[in-house]
């Protein structure tokens, strides 16, 4: 089953990637613009978005970047 709509011929696909900040949230970028910050620590009261809870819970994780669509 295809969950994504088919791209019409000649359409330009956006560049989408997730940037995981060290000891912080996952920042979602679409065509160079921040779209949202997703919780990475599991303590956010506003899941799936980040509310900054990682700071008071001393969350530790390395930085990373994942390209989802280019």
């Amino acid at each position: 089953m295809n969950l994504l709509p088919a791209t019409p011929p000649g359409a330009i696909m956006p560049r989408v990637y997730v940037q995981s900040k060290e000891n912080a949230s996952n920042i979602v970028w679409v065509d160079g613009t921040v779209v949202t910050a997703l919780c990475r620590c599991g303590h956010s009261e506003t899941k799936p978005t980040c509310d900054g809870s990682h700071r008071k819970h001393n969350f530790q994780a390395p930085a990373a970047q994942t390209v989802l669509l280019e």
Side-chain angles (χ1 to χ4, degrees):
M1 175 194 320
N2 185 1
L3 299 178
L4 296 175
T7 304
I12 298 173
M13 297 297 292
R15 182 171 194 269
V16 180
Y17 67 96
V18 177
Q19 179 183 29
S20 300
K21 299 287 215 170
E22 183 176 13
N23 306 329
S25 62
N26 290 321
I27 309 296
V28 179
W29 295 79
V30 177
D31 285 338
T33 301
V34 173
V35 176
T36 192
L38 299 174
C39 177
R40 191 172 165 207
C41 72
H43 295 285
S44 176
E45 295 293 324
T46 60
K47 287 183 196 101
T49 58
C50 176
D51 68 359
S53 292
H54 55 273
R55 289 184 206 101
K56 77 176 172 188
H57 291 280
N58 198 28
F59 177 69
Q60 302 288 307
Q65 182 169 306
T66 303
V67 175
L68 302 176
L69 187 60
E70 271 192 307

